């Protein structure tokens, strides 16, 4: 989890509703470039796709680039 959950103006639920999924489209639809820059401070890391089970990996291939983003 990130410490930003408690600070988010839209509340915790507006973030956690997309937990485990790619929320890029939802994020960019309602946030400014300033909000995007703020994310850098709270960045946790890329998903290690090598540690994901094979049955899940095919789904992730459609969502992530080669760096796990």
């Amino acid at each position: 989890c990130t410490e930003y959950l408690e600070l988010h103006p839209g509340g915790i639920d507006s973030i956690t509703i997309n937990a485990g999924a790619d929320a890029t489209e939802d994020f960019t639809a309602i946030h400014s470039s300033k909000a995007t820059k703020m994310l850098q401070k709270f960045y946790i890391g890329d998903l290690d796709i090598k540690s994901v089970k094979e049955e899940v990996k095919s789904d992730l291939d459609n969502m992530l680039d080669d760096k796990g983003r």
Side-chain angles (χ1 to χ4, degrees), residues 7-8 14 16-23 27 30 32 41 43-44 46 48 51 55 68:
L7 304 173
H8 187 257
S14 64
T16 58
I17 195 167
N18 287 311
D22 183 352
F27 180 88
I30 59 173
S32 66
K41 178 181 176 184
Y43 178 73
I44 296 171
D46 294 337
D48 178 8
S51 67
E55 62 263 18

Side-chain angles (χ1 to χ4, degrees), residues 28-55:
T28 56
I30 59 173
H31 291 88
S32 66
S33 60
K34 181 181 176 183
T36 302
K37 289 177 186 173
M38 288 176 60
L39 288 178
Q40 294 171 0
K41 178 181 176 184
F42 299 99
Y43 178 73
I44 296 171
D46 294 337
L47 176 63
D48 178 8
I49 57 175
K50 294 175 184 155
S51 67
V52 178
K53 294 180 181 179
E54 284 300 319
E55 62 263 18

